[in-house]
Amino acid sequence: MIFVDKKYTINITERIDEFDRTILLNLYQPIIGSSATGLYLTLIQEFELLQKINSMPFTIERLFNLTSTTEKQFERNLKKLEALKLVKTLIAKTTGNCKFNILAPLSPKDFFANEVFNKTLNKKLGEENYEAAKFIFKERSSKRNDEEFEEVSVDFADIFEDEFNTIANTIANTTLFTSPISKSKNVKLCKKLLNLDKVAELIYQENIVMDFEDEYISNLLSTALAIRSFNETEIAEMIIASYSFENREINEKIFEIEVLKALKASKNLRNITLGLSSAEIKKAEEMSFYDCETYYEMLTNSLPNSIIKNGIRDIISKYKSTRGVVNCLMEFSFLKNEGKVIVNYISKIAETLYQENLNTAHQVMAFLKGANKGAKRTKKSEIVVKSTSFQSSKVTDMEFETFDFKQYENDELTDNDILVIANNM
């Protein structure tokens, strides 16, 4: 990240008082270090100053001087604050200026209830000092711009990789996400970082209703978010995959596995989405929001017939495709086959995606974007795709032929007749 000549603004939406500073020094500082702690306190002080003088934003060099750090040291400290969910950094797409959103520390109860933060503190302090830190808070009650920005904050698993791997390796013997019920009045991470109404809407499409005020559920989600800032769609997919309809609750062990799978996938996703624009990334997220029949109707302005419906069900069942993947494939077919959604055409690509372990809308969109670029360098009737597997560096050649509708132009066939022929290829 380049900070030279960039300006900054600071936003604080939560009250941060002296008790928060005590929490910061005793629970967060052992993990992030004194330099990052100093930066956090400096940002709070700067917010108060900027509120008073109401001047034009300063350049970030001012923060280097105030904290007596180099640009490299400043960036490293900032990433630590982001990883512990104390700061969210947003960068203006046009100017590169920064907006720092300052978040209050978790209450002691919520901090110790968060297994990731709790175990990392234990490892940093050692058992004796860790128990002393817990004792400090044992009897204490809890407290209470016009530019378009995109968030660039990093996550706990990126900055404290060794600590997280140590915690994750305990899965066989303990449950990472089990935590005592906290009665803190503080805002949970899941409420700070997620639009829970959107999550509720997404899981409701799978006939799941959930009370996010429930302490067990909010602690479960907050622990996942402590590892990485998953978005609403990702959290919803984890809930859906781990929900037990028989018990009407999240299976904690399965949820834990889904989080770790998503963490691994997100690292791969960062590589593949490098070729996608911000608009394409947003579109891929939107594709995961709609069920396939609704998306088909939106795409073609017509209702899906029995061939389409049954074909989609078969693809989802056979290749474990998500709705986002299928919707992405339908749109690709629509664009490549003169406004037609060809089930067999989609199925052929879905099989390749399944073999390549590409299972998110983002991955598939990037994959098909590469295929579309490849078409410009090949024969008109085919697309040759160079695809790199995430699990190996092996490069394979795959061909996807478009259906030739023109050969039927002089026949007395309806569009539905042609679709039947295409689907029986």
Side-chain angles (χ1 to χ4, degrees), residues 1-8 58-64 69-72 74-75 91 95-98 100:
M1 191 182 303
I2 300 175
F3 293 110
V4 177
D5 296 328
K6 299 298 186 292
K7 296 181 179 180
Y8 67 92
F58 294 114
T59 61
I60 293 183
E61 281 86 347
R62 170 178 167 82
L63 294 177
F64 301 164
T69 56
T70 64
E71 181 176 358
K72 187 174 181 180
F74 174 85
E75 183 174 7
I91 302 294
T95 63
N97 290 336
C98 297
F100 301 120

Side-chain angles (χ1 to χ4, degrees), residues 243-308:
Y243 188 77
S244 169
F245 285 94
E246 180 180 354
N247 299 323
R248 302 185 68 81
E249 65 180 17
I250 295 175
N251 182 310
E252 187 174 331
K253 193 66 178 178
I254 295 177
F255 182 82
E256 176 183 319
I257 293 171
E258 290 299 318
V259 170
L260 296 177
K261 283 168 57 179
L263 180 63
K264 181 179 179 182
S266 65
K267 291 182 179 180
N268 294 331
L269 185 59
R270 290 190 177 191
N271 295 327
I272 198 167
T273 55
L274 290 176
L276 297 179
S277 66
S278 58
E280 288 169 332
I281 293 174
K282 183 177 180 181
K283 184 173 181 63
E285 292 174 353
E286 291 174 347
M287 285 179 172
S288 301
F289 185 79
Y290 298 100
D291 66 80
C292 298
E293 292 184 15
T294 299
Y295 199 81
Y296 177 91
E297 185 177 350
M298 293 166 57
L299 187 65
T300 65
N301 202 28
S302 62
L303 295 173
N305 58 29
S306 59
I307 294 176
I308 298 295

Side-chain angles (χ1 to χ4, degrees), residues 17 62 67 76 94 96 98-99 121 154 280 305 374 379 390:
D17 56 23
R62 170 178 167 82
T67 56
R76 183 165 59 247
T94 53
C98 297
K99 180 187 290 184
L121 180 66
V154 298
E280 288 169 332
N305 58 29
K379 297 179 182 179
F390 286 116

Side-chain angles (χ1 to χ4, degrees), residues 133-394:
K134 290 184 69 174
F135 181 79
I136 292 172
F137 299 102
K138 186 174 181 180
E139 300 299 329
R140 301 196 62 168
S141 61
S142 63
K143 61 174 178 77
R144 42 90 231 124
N145 192 333
D146 296 327
E147 291 181 288
E148 183 182 2
F149 285 82
E150 59 180 347
E151 186 180 348
V152 296
S153 304
V154 298
D155 292 296
F156 184 92
D158 296 323
I159 302 303
F160 301 97
E161 188 171 356
D162 291 341
E163 286 82 355
F164 174 71
N165 288 337
T166 300
I167 295 170
N169 288 334
T170 66
I171 285 175
N173 302 316
T174 62
T175 304
L176 178 61
F177 292 89
T178 297
S179 57
I181 301 302
S182 167
K183 297 183 179 179
S184 168
K185 294 181 181 178
N186 267 43
V187 179
K188 303 280 189 181
L189 276 182
C190 60
K191 291 185 178 181
K192 290 184 181 184
L193 303 179
L194 291 176
N195 179 345
L196 292 174
D197 289 337
K198 183 176 179 180
V199 177
E201 187 174 353
L202 288 169
I203 64 175
Y204 183 73
Q205 295 178 15
E206 301 297 331
N207 299 316
I208 298 174
V209 178
M210 193 158 290
D211 178 14
F212 293 113
E213 295 296 328
D214 180 84
E215 290 289 324
Y216 170 78
I217 294 172
S218 61
N219 284 341
L220 204 62
L221 299 185
S222 295
T223 299
L225 291 166
I227 300 171
R228 185 177 296 283
S229 298
F230 296 110
N231 61 37
E232 289 81 2
T233 300
E234 291 169 326
I235 288 292
E237 289 175 349
M238 294 174 202
I239 293 174
I240 292 167
S242 59
Y243 188 77
S244 169
F245 285 94
E246 180 180 354
N247 299 323
R248 302 185 68 81
E249 65 180 17
I250 295 175
N251 182 310
E252 187 174 331
K253 193 66 178 178
I254 295 177
F255 182 82
E256 176 183 319
I257 293 171
E258 290 299 318
V259 170
L260 296 177
K261 283 168 57 179
L263 180 63
K264 181 179 179 182
S266 65
K267 291 182 179 180
N268 294 331
L269 185 59
R270 290 190 177 191
N271 295 327
I272 198 167
T273 55
L274 290 176
L276 297 179
S277 66
S278 58
E280 288 169 332
I281 293 174
K282 183 177 180 181
K283 184 173 181 63
E285 292 174 353
E286 291 174 347
M287 285 179 172
S288 301
F289 185 79
Y290 298 100
D291 66 80
C292 298
E293 292 184 15
T294 299
Y295 199 81
Y296 177 91
E297 185 177 350
M298 293 166 57
L299 187 65
T300 65
N301 202 28
S302 62
L303 295 173
N305 58 29
S306 59
I307 294 176
I308 298 295
K309 290 180 179 179
N310 293 332
I312 289 173
R313 292 191 193 103
D314 289 343
I315 291 171
I316 291 174
S317 174
K318 187 175 182 180
Y319 301 117
K320 313 297 184 214
S321 300
T322 64
R323 65 175 68 178
V325 169
V326 174
N327 290 341
C328 190
L329 292 179
M330 285 198 296
E331 182 156 326
F332 186 72
S333 175
F334 183 83
L335 295 173
K336 298 302 294 182
N337 294 307
E338 302 183 11
K340 308 294 181 182
V341 175
I342 311 299
V343 172
N344 275 10
Y345 178 78
I346 293 174
S347 182
K348 187 176 181 182
I349 305 176
E351 181 181 5
T352 298
L353 299 175
Y354 181 71
Q355 293 169 350
E356 293 291 315
N357 195 31
L358 306 181
N359 48 30
T360 70
H362 294 90
Q363 293 172 339
V364 172
M365 180 174 286
F367 177 83
L368 296 177
K369 185 178 180 181
N372 196 43
K373 288 181 179 179
K376 298 177 182 178
R377 301 189 298 272
T378 60
K379 297 179 182 179
K380 186 176 181 180
S381 62
E382 65 181 359
I383 300 173
V384 179
V385 183
K386 296 288 186 180
S387 173
T388 303
S389 169
F390 286 116
Q391 296 182 342
S392 69
S393 59
K394 179 181 178 182

Side-chain angles (χ1 to χ4, degrees), residues 5-137:
D5 296 328
K6 299 298 186 292
K7 296 181 179 180
Y8 67 92
T9 55
I10 301 172
N11 184 43
I12 299 179
T13 57
E14 302 174 280
R15 185 169 62 89
I16 301 175
D17 56 23
E18 286 303 317
F19 185 50
D20 288 303
R21 287 173 167 80
T22 301
I23 296 170
L24 181 75
L25 294 174
N26 287 279
L27 303 184
Y28 285 85
Q29 184 171 253
I31 299 176
I32 61 178
S34 59
S35 184
T37 302
L39 174 58
Y40 179 80
L41 295 174
T42 299
L43 290 173
I44 294 174
Q45 192 68 32
E46 278 295 276
F47 170 77
E48 296 171 356
L49 173 64
L50 293 174
Q51 291 291 99
K52 290 179 180 178
I53 64 177
N54 195 28
S55 68
M56 294 294 291
F58 294 114
T59 61
I60 293 183
E61 281 86 347
R62 170 178 167 82
L63 294 177
F64 301 164
N65 295 332
L66 289 175
T67 56
S68 189
T69 56
T70 64
E71 181 176 358
K72 187 174 181 180
Q73 291 169 332
F74 174 85
E75 183 174 7
R76 183 165 59 247
N77 289 333
L78 181 63
K79 288 183 182 297
K80 290 180 179 181
L81 296 176
E82 292 168 356
L84 269 291
K85 314 304 177 190
L86 292 171
V87 173
K88 290 179 69 175
T89 304
L90 299 96
I91 302 294
K93 294 180 179 179
T94 53
T95 63
N97 290 336
C98 297
K99 180 187 290 184
F100 301 120
N101 287 341
I102 311 302
L103 305 176
L106 295 177
S107 70
K109 285 186 178 180
D110 286 343
F111 186 96
F112 290 117
N114 188 304
E115 290 296 295
V116 175
F117 292 174
N118 184 29
K119 290 184 177 181
T120 303
L121 180 66
N122 193 338
K123 180 182 177 183
K124 291 285 187 179
L125 288 178
E127 193 63 33
E128 184 177 351
N129 290 323
Y130 168 76
E131 291 299 329
K134 290 184 69 174
F135 181 79
I136 292 172
F137 299 102

